Amino acid sequence: MKHFLLLLITLFSMQAHAQLTGTWATAAEFTGAGDMPLRSLANRSLREIVHVTIGGNSLRLQLSNEFSATQVAIKSVYIADAADSCDIHVKSARYLTFSGRRDVTIPAGETVFSDMLPYDLKPLQLLSITINYGDEVPVNATSHRGSRTTSYLMDGVSKPKKKFAATEKVDHWYNIAAIDVVAGESTPCIAVLGNSITDGRGSTTNEQNRWPDKMAEALGGNTAVLNLGIGGNAVLRGGLSEPAVKRFERDIMRQRGVKTLVIFQGVNDIGGSKGNSEQVATELMEAYTSFINQAHQAGMKVYLATITPFKGNSYYTIFHEAARQYVNQWIREQKLSDGIIDFDKLVFDPNDPAKMQAKYSDDWLHLNPSGYAAMGEYAARQLSGK
């Protein structure tokens, strides 16, 4: 009896010092016709692959229908350790439940979480998520366009032990939004607010070599990293999808377990400015200040990253470069954040500071895999203090 009571006390103590922490997340977007599958998702099976950061013994999945005008009906969802292409390790497959049921219907504009599922999730592994859709699906699904990872579609219902007979491939994620694990209260978790450079434009499809992935690897799989970058996204207005000032609450503040926020965004605002570069630069500083204050109030540390060079790209003008330099100077001198990550200093060409080193970029705006590797390893050193 005494040993039993001691065990109960130990278990309660462990639970008291545990919390839900994100191991993977992506920013939800409205899906235009050009980013939808060739055929409807109705009565089809979708297999999606994600690269988690920290491991855990139990997890839950968040599904999003936030940007759709009608509900989405899902017959079942199961997860498994990913193998090659769309194959899985069958013995690892487990069905998720939603309030005890395998099926779930997500109303328009809403999200749902699965029940917690015991699962041996390993740090930095690839996880397969298979969604079997029902009759009702939106014309425009809620998605993340820049998955940099191939998703696979087959007709009918997929089951773990049967071969997944893919009839279509798309490089987008649909409906999946986040994966949380039970972790200790002290588990580090970094959320990154960004644009296409963070989203991984220029990285290698299915190689998981965006800079946040490389940072997670450099941190040894002991730190959760949540990539909330969106290609073409702006901080203030314009750009693709909701600007950061509008999506900040949902994409950053509502994530679970975040201890540190990295803000690396602004190049699309500057590159898209037309005769008002100085005003845009000033508004960017105001937005950064607001983000920092909100994150600090939630107990997060905040790191600001400098904007990388873009001479050689169509974004470049002397006025845009002046705005970039102005914002970067402010980032380096401000005392509001808990630190900075000077990506500009890391990648600029010493012979032409308005331009990136040629080895790091193929289009003079986004980085290539070598550039992302350098960024990820550098950011890991800055955030870990090593």
Side-chain angles (χ1 to χ4, degrees):
M1 185 68 177
K2 181 179 179 181
H3 293 300
F4 179 73
L5 289 173
L6 286 173
L7 178 60
L8 281 178
I9 292 170
T10 301
L11 289 172
F12 279 122
S13 177
M14 289 173 64
Q15 289 179 349
H17 292 87
Q19 65 175 16
L20 284 173
T21 297
T23 181
W24 173 86
T26 193
E29 303 176 85
F30 172 82
T31 316
D35 292 316
M36 287 296 293
L38 296 176
R39 290 172 41 225
S40 170
L41 289 167
N43 296 308
R44 300 179 79 189
S45 175
L46 172 69
R47 180 162 289 175
E48 309 177 271
I49 314 297
V50 301
H51 183 218
V52 305
T53 51
I54 59 171
N57 295 320
S58 59
L59 60 79
R60 70 176 186 179
L61 172 69
Q62 183 184 22
L63 296 172
S64 174
N65 195 35
E66 292 169 278
F67 288 93
S68 301
T70 58
Q71 66 183 20
V72 57
I74 293 173
K75 295 177 180 177
S76 63
V77 181
Y78 62 88
I79 62 173
D81 293 353
D84 293 333
S85 183
C86 61
D87 292 337
I88 62 172
H89 295 285
V90 174
K91 290 183 178 180
S92 68
R94 299 289 184 275
Y95 278 92
L96 296 169
T97 59
F98 302 84
S99 298
R101 297 172 58 94
R102 284 190 180 182
D103 64 303
V104 62
T105 298
I106 313 172
E110 296 188 16
T111 70
V112 297
F113 288 95
S114 73
D115 303 326
M116 294 300 297
L117 174 73
Y119 195 87
D120 181 21
L121 189 72
K122 302 169 188 66
L124 303 172
Q125 78 161 79
L126 294 179
L127 185 72
S128 168
I129 304 166
T130 305
I131 301 175
N132 288 306
Y133 287 95
D135 294 327
E136 298 178 89
V137 296
V139 173
N140 300 103
T142 295
S143 73
H144 183 82
R145 294 171 296 111
S147 63
R148 318 297 166 198
T149 301
T150 302
S151 299
Y152 305 86
L153 284 151
M154 67 168 274
D155 298 334
V157 174
S158 163
K159 295 184 178 180
K161 292 183 180 180
K162 293 183 68 175
K163 178 72 175 178
F164 193 95
T167 56
E168 186 177 351
K169 299 178 183 180
V170 288
D171 289 338
H172 311 296
W173 287 315
Y174 300 104
N175 295 120
I176 56 175
I179 298 171
D180 300 329
V181 296
V182 176
E185 286 185 351
S186 61
T187 301
C189 179
I190 302 167
V192 184
L193 181 71
N195 48 43
S196 57
I197 299 176
T198 295
D199 203 21
R201 176 71 179 271
S203 64
T204 312
T205 300
N206 296 320
E207 290 296 323
Q208 319 301 331
N209 54 10
R210 317 162 190 85
W211 77 260
D213 293 276
K214 304 309 290 187
M215 178 173 70
E217 291 174 4
L219 291 169
N222 299 312
T223 299
V225 177
L226 309 181
N227 185 338
L228 285 312
I230 295 180
N233 196 236
V235 173
L236 304 169
R237 55 192 163 267
L240 298 179
S241 299
E242 292 183 334
V245 292
K246 186 172 182 180
R247 69 185 183 93
F248 186 81
E249 167 64 25
R250 179 186 65 250
D251 288 349
I252 299 298
M253 303 302 290
R254 295 184 197 172
Q255 301 296 335
R256 277 68 60 191
V258 176
K259 306 292 196 307
T260 302
L261 167 64
V262 175
I263 301 169
F264 177 42
Q265 197 165 353
V267 69
N268 290 326
D269 298 82
I270 292 172
S273 62
K274 297 178 181 178
N276 62 338
S277 300
E278 184 176 355
Q279 176 190 340
V280 166
T282 300
E283 291 183 51
L284 280 174
M285 298 171 201
E286 293 171 353
Y288 297 152
T289 300
S290 175
F291 294 157
I292 292 168
N293 289 339
Q294 291 178 66
H296 278 167
Q297 288 173 10
M300 302 178 195
K301 290 186 176 180
V302 183
Y303 285 73
L304 280 180
T306 52
I307 299 171
T308 46
F310 48 81
K311 184 178 179 181
N313 186 270
S314 61
Y315 270 2
Y316 182 82
T317 70
I318 58 171
F319 301 103
H320 291 171
E321 175 61 12
R324 185 184 77 88
Q325 295 285 0
Y326 183 38
V327 171
N328 281 351
Q329 181 179 354
W330 181 86
I331 289 173
R332 293 180 178 114
E333 295 177 353
Q334 54 79 35
K335 303 300 181 184
L336 301 172
S337 72
D338 299 277
I340 71 166
I341 301 174
D342 204 339
F343 284 141
D344 175 37
K345 182 179 178 180
L346 174 72
V347 303
F348 80 86
D349 184 342
N351 297 314
D352 189 350
K355 198 171 190 176
M356 283 192 220
Q357 296 178 49
K359 66 180 180 180
Y360 286 150
S361 180
D362 299 326
D363 67 0
W364 306 112
L365 175 61
H366 306 94
L367 287 89
N368 57 28
S370 295
Y372 286 136
M375 288 177 67
E377 291 163 7
Y378 172 71
R381 292 195 300 271
Q382 298 301 111
L383 291 168
S384 65
K386 296 180 180 178

